Amino acid sequence: MSAEHTAREKRRELRSYLVGFVLAVILTAVAFLVVAAGLPTMTAYGVIAVTALVQVVVHFRFFLHITLKRSTRDDLQLILFTTLIIGLMAGGTIWILDNLHHRMM
Amino acid sequence: MTAVDHHRHPGINLGHTDPDTHEQAEETLFGFWIFLMSDLVLFALLFATYASMMGSTDGGPGPRDVLELSSSALETGVLLFSSLTMGMASLAMKYKEPPARLQMWLVATLILGLVFLWLGGSEFVKMASEGASAQRSGWTSALHALLGTHWLHVAAGCVWLILSILQVAIFGPQSPVKLRLMRLALFWHLLDIVWIFIFSVVYLGGLA
């Protein structure tokens, strides 16, 4: 590999971290500002949920370098499987305990 | 070779800058990635517990009484910035910059990690002094379990950082040291992802 190629790859990877950092800062700032500004609760919840999910994708993409097309190993499948497990266990817990809570009223 | 061939595992890939270590990294990092995913499940269940315990304050303090927007914003900024310095450390390692440069980024990450631990620690002390210790109500127990587990993970990351700094100083950036640094970077970045959920659900969700 030529030194020029390496230098280009280094610039590309440096830019990737910086872009990810800037995006993460913006998304975090938006979520905090919405709460600081005292928007209606439901609107705030919506904005927080969207910015949080986008920020998770940003972190995976720019800091952990996981993309749809470049994941040749099973990393992404493992993330999706973990998401399924989390959905079942966390979702199930919240569902059952909320149901129980209502019956105890 | 194309970019596709270079990318074999999560995090920074050494690729052609160190082909031998890159060859070993695939298995080592995939194994560690499986551990990290199981760690995510642990956090998800703590979040489920927290969600179930919201409102279970037993007449004691609730989110608006003990959580502060400004201190959580500071903690968030510190962790986010430490993700960037960890990324810079990964780049310094991959592109064989002078070890002093790598050390500088690792020390910067360590300092930010310690600042986070100090901020989180003083938050626990403040909550205890306001009558919101872990045993006060279902909600405070769930809050302490969630924040405490994340805090301990960051503390473990700081110990790992100290050991890495020593290893780079003693052995130099050899292959085993590089593989450990790559796993440390994955661990650190994933903790920041967990923190996104914590500040969104606990702090912003509780104060909105």
Side-chain angles (χ1 to χ4, degrees):
Chain A
M1 283 292 164
S2 65
E4 192 202 339
H5 178 92
T6 306
R8 199 164 54 234
E9 193 179 316
K10 185 178 174 183
R11 272 200 305 280
R12 185 177 58 74
E13 289 202 306
L14 177 64
R15 196 166 56 231
S16 164
Y17 275 107
L18 293 175
V19 166
F21 178 71
V22 170
L23 285 175
V25 166
I26 293 171
L27 289 163
T28 307
V30 167
F32 273 90
L33 285 176
V34 162
V35 177
L39 257 68
T41 306
M42 277 305 143
T43 317
Y45 281 171
V47 176
I48 293 166
V50 171
T51 52
L53 290 178
V54 176
Q55 198 178 341
V56 168
V57 174
V58 165
H59 279 235
F60 271 126
R61 166 72 181 79
F62 292 99
F63 295 156
L64 290 161
H65 310 297
I66 290 164
T67 57
L68 291 172
K69 64 174 187 293
R70 281 204 291 170
S71 183
T72 48
R73 279 297 295 241
D74 306 325
D75 312 319
L76 185 68
Q77 282 172 26
L78 203 56
I79 294 174
L80 295 176
F81 177 68
T82 310
T83 311
L84 173 71
I85 294 292
I86 286 173
L88 287 174
M89 297 209 291
T93 302
I94 293 168
W95 180 19
I96 290 169
L97 285 175
D98 186 57
N99 189 279
L100 206 59
H101 184 71
H102 282 296
R103 285 167 194 274
M104 296 282 279
M105 282 302 196
Chain B
M1 274 220 287
T2 61
V4 178
D5 297 318
H6 288 162
H7 206 84
R8 294 188 163 183
H9 57 74
I12 199 123
N13 277 232
L14 293 176
H16 57 84
T17 65
D18 188 348
D20 289 342
T21 312
H22 184 52
E23 201 65 41
Q24 297 170 45
E26 185 167 8
E27 245 177 58
T28 314
L29 269 86
F30 186 66
F32 191 67
W33 188 250
I34 294 175
F35 157 70
L36 287 178
M37 290 296 110
S38 70
D39 220 24
L40 273 189
V41 173
L42 166 76
F43 276 110
L45 291 177
L46 288 172
F47 273 106
T49 310
Y50 183 82
S52 306
M53 287 296 171
M54 275 205 261
S56 307
T57 51
D58 185 31
R64 285 174 196 284
D65 304 311
V66 293
L67 301 179
E68 279 175 21
L69 202 58
S70 53
S71 68
S72 63
L74 193 57
E75 286 172 308
T76 305
V78 168
L79 265 198
L80 198 50
F81 205 59
S82 79
S83 263
L84 181 68
T85 55
M86 184 59 93
M88 295 301 108
S90 304
L91 287 179
M93 176 192 74
K94 175 173 177 178
Y95 293 102
K96 296 174 179 160
E97 288 174 17
R101 182 83 61 89
L102 169 60
Q103 295 283 48
M104 183 191 81
W105 288 119
L106 289 176
V107 169
T109 312
L110 175 64
I111 291 171
L112 289 166
L114 292 175
V115 169
F116 176 85
L117 290 181
W118 182 74
L119 289 171
S122 45
E123 199 182 2
F124 287 128
V125 173
K126 188 176 143 289
M127 282 197 278
S129 71
E130 289 173 348
S133 54
Q135 65 268 36
R136 177 60 189 86
S137 67
W139 177 72
T140 57
S141 296
L143 179 70
H144 277 76
L146 181 55
L147 294 182
T149 306
H150 181 269
W151 193 91
L152 285 174
H153 273 77
V154 177
C158 285
V159 172
W160 195 348
L161 268 165
I162 293 169
L163 293 176
S164 300
I165 291 165
L166 290 175
Q167 288 189 346
V168 174
I170 296 168
F171 305 116
Q174 293 178 3
S175 183
V177 178
K178 281 184 177 179
L179 289 171
R180 283 174 207 138
L181 281 174
M182 285 154 77
R183 277 172 283 178
L184 172 59
L186 289 189
F187 181 72
W188 200 262
H189 290 312
L190 214 80
L191 278 186
D192 206 12
I193 291 180
V194 172
W195 184 257
I196 297 173
F197 286 105
I198 291 185
F199 80 69
S200 299
V201 173
V202 176
Y203 292 96
L204 298 180
L207 296 170

